[in-house]
Amino acid sequence: MKSQARAVIIGGGVVGVSTLLHLIRKGWSDVVLLERKELTSGSTWHAAGLLPLFNMSYSVGQIHKYSVKLYRDIAEELGEDIGLRQVSNIRLAMTSERMDEYRQYAGVAETIGVEVEFLTPDEVKGIWPLCVTDGLIGAIRHPGDGYIQPADLTQAMARLARAGGAEIHRQTSVTAITQQPDGEWLVKTDKGDIRCEHVISATGNFARRTGAMVGLDVPVIPVEHQYIVTEAHPEIVARHKEGLPEMGVLRESDGSWYMREEAGGLILGPYEVGAPACYVDGPDPDSEYELFQEDVERLAPHIESAIRRVPIFGELGIKQVFNGAICYTPDGGPIIGPAWGLKNFWLNEGHSFGVTAAGGAGWQLANWIVDGEPTIDMLGVDPCRFGDYATKSYLVAKNEEAYANVFTIHYPDEERPAGRPLRTAPCYERMKNLGAVFGQKFGWERPNWFAPEGTPREDHWSFRRSRWFEHVGNECRNVYENVGLLDMTAFAKARISGPGAEAFLDRLTTNKLPQKPGRIALAYALTPSGGVHSEFSVTREADDSFYLVSAGAYQRFDHDWIWRHMPRDGSVQFENKTNALGVLVVAGPKARTLMQRVSRNDFSNAAFRWLTAQDVDINLAPCRAIRVNFVGELGWELHHPIEYQNQIFDALWEAGQDLGLRPFGIRAMDSMRIEKSYRMPGAELSIEYAALESGLERFVALDKGDFIGRDNLLAWQQRGLANTLVTLEVHDTKDADPVGNNPIYSDGHLVGRITSGNFGFRTQKSLGLAMVTPELAEPGNKLEVDILGRRYGAMVIVDSPFDTSNERLRG
Ligand SMILES: Cc1cc2nc3c(=O)[nH]c(=O)nc-3n(C[C@H](O)[C@H](O)[C@H](O)COP(=O)(O)OP(=O)(O)OC[C@H]3O[C@@H](n4cnc5c(N)ncnc54)[C@H](O)[C@@H]3O)c2cc1C
């Protein structure tokens, strides 16, 4: 084994080997893969090998699509059968809500170029004659979907990687990993040590153990997953004899199982409630090709459901039950990207559909490692989307929940209950008493909306306007007419200070920093290629001190980006203030009267201008009032040491009663921000779009000197921008609005996608923010938007349809 390499990959499952192959294909031949036992001896060997293209996530959908194409190409390139069978896949629907999910998904598929077709129950019967269609209302089918032999695929990729110069060492365990003073990694194994520039952890069920070697608490804990392989059935065997094609993969989503043919019999794989987390403290050091004791009883309801749907299943003897560990994360997505707080340490972990994802995950991670960033938006799988709130006990609860929900309907407004409440702001109980229906972001409970007295305090998830629609509308109206109170304690907050703070932030972000203490600016941090990584509101506190606020969900993501780019000479200090400070927002035309009642400070327009901040007293409490908000009304964000929150809350509440003060939640905020065309990271702002495509011209000071991403942004502009962000008014909607990922058409051609959408209660319009081709971006242009399978007329309108000239904000 060599003692020096450019990159070392730990783990010889399908994911590690794919990463190896893609590094080779990116031109890095000096790469080594270390596997403690044999290739595939972790989870890969016993996988059922299904390759589901279906995924509601824009990132993961693209990853899966790439994989299936890669596997076909590999089989062709090698001229070998690696067990790839693109036999298609049918997903059944038994409810109209399920059909809505499929319609929403079909929009995602259309925007990422995955072929999907809708079937009637009779068409299902035509393809899957052994299936009873009672109770079905429809189905979708992916012609390109199917399955593969995971071990054959892994070995094929390993051969290709070796042919490109990669070394693979089996029976070689990594025992320790340390970073050297020069930044290189020293990977210690039981066969010797290797120094390298980059380490990639692809260790499946061992992810937490590998993470612990470098001080990372990797949020992965596996869950037990079983599938049943049956004896052959004469009817299936007869079909084969007649030369009929395989019936393909059948998924009854509402029964939470998949089925496919296997050697004349069937495979049934249920996703049951109650499957336990496993390897909570890691697998046994000797674990290899390990299976657990089967528990068929746990699968009984799913077996019954499968027999109702495919009666011959009840006639079949069980040949084998596989019960193995399948990795999970709290949201069920994998963890692909740089590890937080470490340089050149990468994670490709937490894969629950790892055979399906391996190709795409290896492709994007190799791009990231070699070129410094991926080519598709990877926010949905970024390692930083979880924080240190994700303790081992939390992971057990959430990962079991994620597993049980693989086949439940994935609503856009879904909020799952396990592991909650976890992080609560001091005003949590007060908000609860006011009827708050909470959601969770980054572990924090946040009021999503408020159920009026006498109405059920239950969330109601839907792809259409749901039971909370009217109440959210009333919250928006009250903010518009009176004044509303919102808890935004979950915001990510940080202080950047020191003699080098200004120069550092100036280089990190695109626009000119606020020049005087008390001034505020929105600042965007770009990736090296000119896409948007992060958005911060920056308040200048002093000559050498800045206060940065960003979205709560991106705390680790944003703060890690700051840390990565900070000078290491001590000239800049970073402090995470997230947990130390609470935030309440007051917004609405009566906000000034309210503030004046609770404070001795002067909140008049002359004394307290828009986009400025002041340290004030609110009742007895110290507070920084910042005159900005995300809803487009007169208002202030009140940032305070967290222990004063209820003192401030109570003062506002008491003083605001006759002004009509009412709480409002995140859903009302989202509706109002779309009426203002305010962009959101992860939607309108993404690495896939140049900052200038996202409409950030006025925040990008190309004349201020160098900043990260500037040169490549200019080059991108010169090559030609492919998209323009626009605001759309969608006509004639009645019970559904765009929610994001809706395809947009002009003259029947796909010309863009909605990045986020909502109903605007102040404008009484169904609205979308959308990326379209630049020639269609003129206000007045007519387009069509797909919402749940129906096309609606739409028109490009001027940005900020509510209070276009910002008079209410400035007033
Ligand atoms: C019953 C079952 C059915 C499944 N069916 C499907 C399916 O149909 N489709 C699908 O897409 N997915 C399926 N999966 C999931 C799939 O098996 C996994 O997502 C995938 O195999 C993960 O691959 P991996 O490379 O991340 O992990 P693994 O295959 O577990 O590989 C990790 C490797 O890292 C090695 N390693 C760990 N620590 C060290 C160390 N310190 N030094 C050296 N080596 C180390 C391990 O020995 C192991 O070989 C199924 C899972 C189960 C349990």
Side-chain angles (χ1 to χ4, degrees):
M1 191 166 74
K2 53 169 91 162
S3 59
Q4 182 86 36
R6 188 95 191 256
V8 168
I9 295 168
I10 312 170
V14 67
V15 172
V17 175
S18 167
T19 311
L20 182 75
L21 175 62
H22 284 89
L23 283 173
I24 291 284
R25 291 191 163 176
K26 290 290 291 181
W28 281 21
S29 54
D30 186 16
V31 282
V32 173
L33 184 144
L34 305 173
E35 164 55 49
R36 46 185 276 286
K37 299 288 183 184
E38 294 296 328
L39 297 184
T40 78
S41 65
S43 278
T44 298
W45 72 279
H46 57 51
L50 299 166
L51 302 173
L53 285 163
F54 179 91
N55 201 288
M56 298 298 279
S57 150
Y58 181 70
S59 323
V60 181
Q62 293 186 76
I63 287 170
H64 287 192
K65 177 188 159 191
Y66 173 90
S67 293
V68 174
K69 179 171 179 323
L70 173 79
Y71 302 162
R72 204 177 48 226
D73 292 348
I74 286 177
E76 269 171 27
E77 184 180 338
L78 291 174
E80 263 178 40
D81 182 7
I82 54 171
L84 177 65
R85 300 286 179 272
Q86 288 182 282
V87 289
S88 92
N89 154 49
I90 293 175
R91 294 179 93 91
L92 305 173
M94 296 171 71
T95 66
S96 57
E97 292 277 291
R98 179 68 72 183
M99 281 307 285
D100 273 354
E101 182 191 41
Y102 292 167
R103 292 184 188 110
Q104 172 66 24
Y105 164 71
V108 180
E110 170 94 346
T111 54
I112 62 175
V114 168
E115 189 185 351
V116 61
E117 55 199 36
F118 282 80
L119 302 181
T120 62
D122 284 348
E123 287 168 330
V124 171
K125 188 82 187 167
I127 298 166
W128 242 94
L130 302 181
C131 156
V132 170
T133 54
D134 294 356
L136 293 187
I137 60 168
I140 51 169
R141 176 171 183 264
H142 288 93
D145 207 294
Y147 59 90
I148 197 162
Q149 295 307 328
D152 294 352
L153 166 68
T154 310
Q155 296 294 353
M157 291 195 291
R159 274 204 307 286
L160 287 170
R162 278 197 197 97
E167 278 188 16
I168 297 179
H169 296 280
R170 290 146 43 232
Q171 304 295 340
T172 306
S173 291
V174 172
T175 53
I177 312 165
T178 47
Q179 198 155 26
Q180 304 302 294
D182 64 359
E184 279 207 335
W185 290 99
L186 181 67
V187 178
K188 287 187 168 293
T189 82
D190 54 358
K191 303 275 167 67
D193 300 347
I194 311 186
R195 285 177 73 101
C196 58
E197 206 179 310
H198 295 267
V199 175
I200 298 108
S201 173
T203 54
N205 302 318
F206 291 79
R208 288 176 72 71
R209 227 176 250 163
T210 319
M213 293 183 196
V214 290
L216 286 179
D217 203 358
V218 179
V220 173
I221 289 185
V223 176
E224 285 185 21
H225 175 52
Q226 309 183 74
Y227 67 87
I228 299 170
V229 186
T230 73
E231 308 283 358
H233 191 280
E235 275 199 57
I236 299 177
V237 174
R239 280 180 59 85
H240 291 182
K241 280 200 182 126
E242 284 169 45
L244 292 169
E246 262 192 52
M247 293 174 289
V249 184
L250 188 70
R251 285 190 169 80
E252 188 180 281
S253 308
D254 300 297
S256 196
W257 51 260
Y258 60 80
M259 185 183 280
R260 71 165 170 88
E261 291 181 40
E262 171 77 6
L266 293 169
I267 282 182
L268 175 72
Y271 279 82
E272 73 280 23
V273 175
C278 56
Y279 295 147
V280 174
D281 297 309
D284 187 273
D286 293 328
S287 160
E288 180 180 16
Y289 299 110
E290 190 167 26
L291 291 176
F292 305 123
Q293 177 63 45
E294 68 214 49
D295 184 353
V296 180
E297 212 168 293
R298 208 167 66 218
L299 307 181
H302 305 275
I303 295 174
E304 283 159 25
S305 149
I307 294 173
R308 277 196 299 275
R309 184 62 64 210
V310 181
I312 64 155
F313 190 81
E315 301 163 17
L316 288 164
I318 292 180
K319 195 154 83 180
Q320 197 174 358
V321 179
F322 286 85
N323 183 6
I326 189 164
C327 281
Y328 264 83
T329 63
D331 62 9
I335 290 180
I336 309 168
W340 59 96
L342 295 173
K343 289 218 166 146
N344 296 344
F345 194 95
W346 306 84
L347 298 170
N348 205 348
E349 298 283 12
H351 285 274
S352 59
F353 285 96
V355 180
T356 321
W363 164 53
Q364 283 303 321
L365 193 59
N367 283 337
W368 214 330
I369 295 168
V370 176
D371 300 333
E373 60 185 297
T375 56
I376 63 172
D377 174 12
M378 297 285 280
L379 209 51
V381 295
D382 197 286
C384 290
R385 72 190 190 280
F386 306 110
D388 50 16
Y389 62 87
T391 59
K392 194 188 281 183
S393 308
Y394 177 85
L395 292 174
V396 168
K398 281 313 254 189
N399 296 7
E400 287 180 355
E401 179 189 58
Y403 174 88
N405 280 286
V406 163
F407 275 113
T408 55
I409 299 177
H410 299 300
Y411 295 101
D413 52 356
E414 180 184 13
E415 297 279 358
R416 292 185 186 159
R420 297 176 53 196
L422 184 63
R423 303 172 83 185
T424 53
C427 70
Y428 172 78
E429 287 297 333
R430 282 165 170 75
M431 288 297 198
K432 198 168 162 186
N433 291 337
L434 291 168
V437 179
F438 291 92
Q440 197 198 47
K441 264 285 172 317
F442 212 69
W444 287 99
E445 291 294 313
R446 305 187 306 177
N448 269 344
W449 60 282
F450 289 81
E453 248 182 70
T455 57
R457 197 186 284 203
E458 276 167 21
D459 215 353
H460 174 230
W461 312 320
S462 176
F463 293 91
R464 297 174 188 269
R465 294 176 190 169
S466 74
R467 284 203 284 274
W468 49 260
F469 184 79
E470 177 195 344
H471 306 311
V472 168
N474 289 335
E475 289 169 29
C476 294
R477 262 186 292 279
N478 193 60
V479 172
Y480 174 60
E481 288 165 7
N482 298 309
V483 55
L485 181 63
L486 171 73
D487 171 25
M488 287 301 282
T489 299
F491 266 149
K493 312 159 206 106
R495 171 167 297 136
I496 309 286
S497 59
E502 179 163 13
F504 162 59
L505 281 177
D506 195 47
R507 194 176 142 59
L508 187 79
T509 61
T510 53
N511 41 339
K512 291 184 179 142
L513 292 171
Q515 288 304 297
K516 290 190 190 148
R519 289 286 164 83
I520 296 158
L522 267 186
Y524 294 89
L526 304 192
T527 64
S529 70
V532 181
H533 188 279
S534 297
E535 178 189 64
F536 300 101
S537 82
V538 179
T539 303
R540 189 172 198 128
E541 298 182 308
D543 282 349
D544 61 354
S545 185
F546 298 84
Y547 176 60
L548 271 63
V549 179
S550 61
Y554 303 128
Q555 184 205 303
R556 185 174 263 176
F557 184 75
D558 291 341
H559 290 183
D560 191 64
W561 191 252
I562 292 173
W563 171 82
R564 267 173 209 284
H565 293 91
M566 260 169 63
R568 295 283 181 265
D569 59 4
S571 63
V572 178
Q573 276 82 50
F574 166 85
E575 270 176 276
N576 179 5
K577 304 295 287 180
T578 303
N579 294 348
L581 299 174
V583 182
L584 295 172
V585 178
V586 287
K590 297 181 186 165
R592 177 170 289 123
T593 313
L594 176 61
M595 293 313 301
Q596 215 56 84
R597 284 185 187 176
V598 295
S599 176
R600 293 172 192 277
N601 297 80
D602 185 353
F603 282 77
S604 68
N605 209 10
F608 206 143
R609 312 291 300 176
W610 185 41
L611 298 179
T612 64
Q614 292 183 29
D615 290 338
V616 298
D617 290 357
I618 296 185
N619 202 22
L620 303 175
C623 180
R624 173 169 298 154
I626 306 184
R627 200 175 153 193
V628 287
N629 63 71
F630 209 43
V631 301
E633 298 284 353
L634 171 68
W636 283 267
E637 281 179 2
L638 305 173
H639 294 242
H640 47 268
I642 201 149
E643 65 272 24
Y644 296 106
Q645 183 162 81
N646 286 337
Q647 152 76 221
I648 295 171
F649 188 101
D650 292 344
L652 290 168
W653 192 249
E654 202 173 306
Q657 283 316 294
D658 65 317
L659 299 174
L661 179 69
R662 295 280 174 275
F664 68 106
I666 295 294
R667 292 189 185 151
M669 185 197 79
D670 188 63
S671 157
M672 291 188 274
R673 73 107 184 160
I674 287 181
E675 287 180 306
K676 291 296 294 171
S677 305
Y678 291 156
R679 291 97 168 108
M680 278 268 270
E684 293 72 38
L685 307 176
S686 141
I687 67 151
E688 282 188 34
Y689 301 120
L692 299 175
E693 292 180 324
S694 297
L696 300 183
E697 297 82 354
R698 68 179 196 281
F699 302 103
V700 179
L702 290 166
D703 58 347
K704 79 166 187 177
D706 195 24
F707 56 82
I708 295 167
R710 180 182 181 277
D711 293 347
N712 286 330
L713 180 64
L714 281 172
W716 195 337
Q717 189 181 30
Q718 270 153 22
R719 282 195 309 275
L721 301 174
N723 301 283
T724 302
L725 184 74
V726 296
T727 306
L728 291 182
E729 176 180 351
V730 187
H731 305 302
D732 303 322
T733 53
K734 288 201 172 53
D735 70 335
D737 301 290
V739 295
N741 283 321
N742 309 72
I744 299 172
Y745 302 92
S746 172
D747 293 330
H749 299 289
L750 183 71
V751 293
R753 61 187 271 264
I754 297 270
T755 46
S756 36
N758 212 323
F759 186 79
F761 292 94
R762 295 174 298 189
T763 50
Q764 286 297 304
K765 289 183 198 313
S766 191
L767 297 169
L769 301 180
M771 285 290 180
V772 297
T773 47
E775 71 279 7
L776 297 169
E778 274 304 303
N781 252 328
K782 298 219 171 7
L783 300 167
E784 281 189 312
V785 175
D786 177 294
I787 303 175
L788 303 176
R790 238 191 89 182
R791 289 200 191 171
Y792 293 81
M795 190 172 70
V796 179
I797 56 176
V798 286
D799 272 358
S800 186
F802 175 75
D803 188 24
T804 309
S805 52
N806 288 336
E807 272 162 35
R808 292 172 74 91
L809 275 169
R810 291 174 208 272

